[in-house]
Amino acid sequence: MDFLTLFLVYLCSVLTVTALLCLCSGRKESFLTRTVNRASQMLSLVIPTPLQRVTHRALHRLFHTRSSLFVVLHVALQAAVFGEYTWEVFGYCWELQFHLLLLLLPYLLLAGNMGCFLLCSRANPGIITKSNHASLVKVYAYDGVMFQKGIVCPTCTMEKPARSKHCSVCRTCVHRFDHHCVWLNNCVGASNTGSFLLYLLALTATAATLAAITAALLLHVVLLSDAMHGTYLDAQGREQPVDIAFLVQHLFLTFPRIVFMLGFVVLLTLVLGGYSSFSLYLAFTNQTTNEWCKSRRFGSSHHLTSQPHNRQLIYKNIYSKGIWRNLKEIFRPPTALERKKT
């Protein structure tokens, strides 16, 4: 039972770190970054100065500059999971006469999510340049609260269109900026939000399908072996009926890689499912991650200096036009001409 507890703690730790990287990837000063900075300050008391400089440069390059490290890690994780699925799970399921279309479904979902991944990572997210700036300024109206007319980006030296933001990692302003995703090594903006949403949904469906097939395989093995009706000897030599904990331990010792993969994809499904649900909520309400995060702070903020100081800032999402039109806008970003017609 001790090994099972350690195994679950290990899996939870891995998925927690993965979830933090996903959730904090688009924030300039994220919880993860602050934690790393504080830890480095404490370690600086015992670590030699040359090593500190090397570590600082490595961390800065990892979190504040574009890097393909997480892209490689993403591909490696998928390769490891599908390698195990192909090498063992598929073979056992085929021997147990699982339906072929069910066994091929993860590969079809993999092709879909990799296609969306390539679209997201290689696409222009909506970079604002001097040539398209004039038209992008007219796409969205300024709400006067979160986005105000006349604000100039100090880096790009251009007036910020409504719903845009300067990405410090890509070093450019992005139209309808959502967040910078380290797993894509690219920003998510007006031009690739739709493919990013499809990528998330396909990735979640892939993990869920792998978990379901693998769990069905193990359940089938348990039922065929009739292990639930057996007994075992505990540490004191007493005969005990088989329970869930013993059964999980037995399966882990018999199929260690399969059980490890199952635990990983189940936790991954939960993390991706939560993030996908949040992304769908943003799509249904026509918000970006950047706007949602900023709106959380308005409760304690105040109006601009031209407004009375005793009036609290009231934010209202003026960009939502109903679920159907909001979804349509995600996959077909509006232009200045379309805004004039509406």
Side-chain angles (χ1 to χ4, degrees):
M1 189 61 185
D2 291 338
F3 92 95
L4 182 59
T5 303
L6 292 174
F7 174 69
L8 292 176
V9 169
Y10 171 74
L11 283 181
C12 291
S13 301
V14 171
L15 267 296
T16 299
V17 171
T18 304
L20 286 173
L21 289 173
C22 290
L23 295 174
C24 300
S25 61
R27 301 182 185 180
K28 182 178 180 180
E29 186 64 22
S30 65
F31 168 78
L32 183 62
T33 305
R34 292 196 301 269
T35 302
V36 171
N37 289 335
R38 290 169 184 169
S40 63
Q41 291 174 2
M42 295 177 62
L43 292 175
S44 64
L45 300 176
V46 294
I47 297 178
T49 302
L51 183 58
Q52 291 182 37
R53 293 173 181 170
V54 173
T55 304
H56 178 75
R57 284 197 294 267
L59 290 175
H60 184 274
R61 181 176 180 81
L62 184 62
F63 293 105
H64 297 283
T65 60
R66 298 193 68 178
S67 171
S68 299
L69 175 63
F70 288 99
V71 176
V72 174
L73 178 60
H74 168 270
V75 174
L77 286 174
Q78 288 207 330
V81 170
F82 271 89
E84 176 58 26
Y85 174 78
T86 304
W87 183 256
E88 288 197 286
V89 176
F90 189 96
Y92 285 130
C93 289
W94 181 254
E95 291 179 5
L96 294 173
Q97 298 182 340
F98 278 55
H99 200 287
L100 180 60
L101 290 180
L102 177 64
L103 298 180
L104 293 178
L105 181 58
Y107 297 106
L108 297 178
L109 292 172
L110 175 65
N113 80 59
M114 289 305 295
C116 293
F117 172 79
L118 290 174
L119 286 176
C120 292
S121 60
R122 304 295 295 178
N124 181 341
I127 296 175
I128 301 173
T129 62
K130 292 184 178 179
S131 60
N132 64 15
H133 175 265
S135 60
L136 293 181
V137 168
K138 302 175 183 178
V139 174
Y140 291 110
Y142 293 91
D143 61 5
V145 178
M146 187 179 294
F147 303 105
Q148 303 158 28
K149 194 172 184 178
I151 302 297
V152 177
C153 174
T155 305
C156 300
T157 63
M158 293 185 293
E159 181 183 0
K160 290 184 177 181
R163 312 191 77 182
S164 68
K165 186 180 182 297
H166 183 85
C167 177
S168 60
V169 179
C170 295
R171 299 177 183 178
T172 185
C173 284
V174 178
H175 182 50
R176 199 186 182 278
F177 177 86
D178 191 278
H179 70 287
H180 180 88
C181 181
V182 294
W183 299 101
L184 299 174
N185 194 26
N186 197 12
C187 285
V188 177
S191 300
N192 63 349
T193 299
S195 55
F196 177 74
L197 182 60
L198 292 177
Y199 162 71
L200 270 182
L201 295 175
L203 194 59
T204 305
T206 303
T209 303
L210 287 171
I213 294 175
T214 306
L217 167 64
L218 295 178
L219 179 61
H220 207 76
V221 170
V222 170
L223 293 177
L224 287 177
S225 64
D226 201 26
M228 289 299 296
H229 297 91
T231 59
Y232 70 97
L233 297 177
D234 61 14
Q236 287 75 34
R238 294 174 298 186
E239 191 174 20
Q240 301 286 348
V242 171
D243 54 11
I244 297 298
F246 177 84
L247 190 60
V248 172
Q249 179 176 341
H250 174 71
L251 288 173
F252 183 83
L253 294 175
T254 308
F255 309 102
R257 291 189 299 270
I258 294 179
V259 174
F260 182 87
M261 186 194 79
L262 175 60
F264 181 79
V265 293
V266 165
L267 291 174
L268 192 61
T269 300
L270 296 176
V271 173
L272 290 172
Y275 189 38
S276 297
S277 299
F278 174 68
S279 298
L280 281 173
Y281 162 75
L282 294 180
F284 290 155
T285 57
N286 204 335
Q287 295 183 81
T288 65
T289 303
N290 177 55
E291 292 165 1
W292 184 86
C293 292
K294 283 184 176 181
S295 67
R296 302 302 96 187
R297 300 195 298 262
F298 284 135
S300 58
S301 303
H302 293 81
H303 275 290
L304 302 176
T305 54
S306 60
Q307 300 291 335
H309 291 284
N310 59 351
R311 292 182 59 190
Q312 283 195 330
L313 184 63
I314 300 175
Y315 170 70
K316 181 180 179 181
N317 181 13
I318 66 171
Y319 306 112
S320 181
K321 306 169 185 175
I323 294 179
W324 174 247
R325 293 183 65 184
N326 290 342
L327 284 176
K328 182 180 178 182
E329 183 174 312
I330 292 294
F331 294 98
R332 187 174 178 273
T335 62
L337 181 62
E338 289 174 345
R339 185 194 163 192
K340 289 181 179 179
K341 290 181 180 180
T342 58

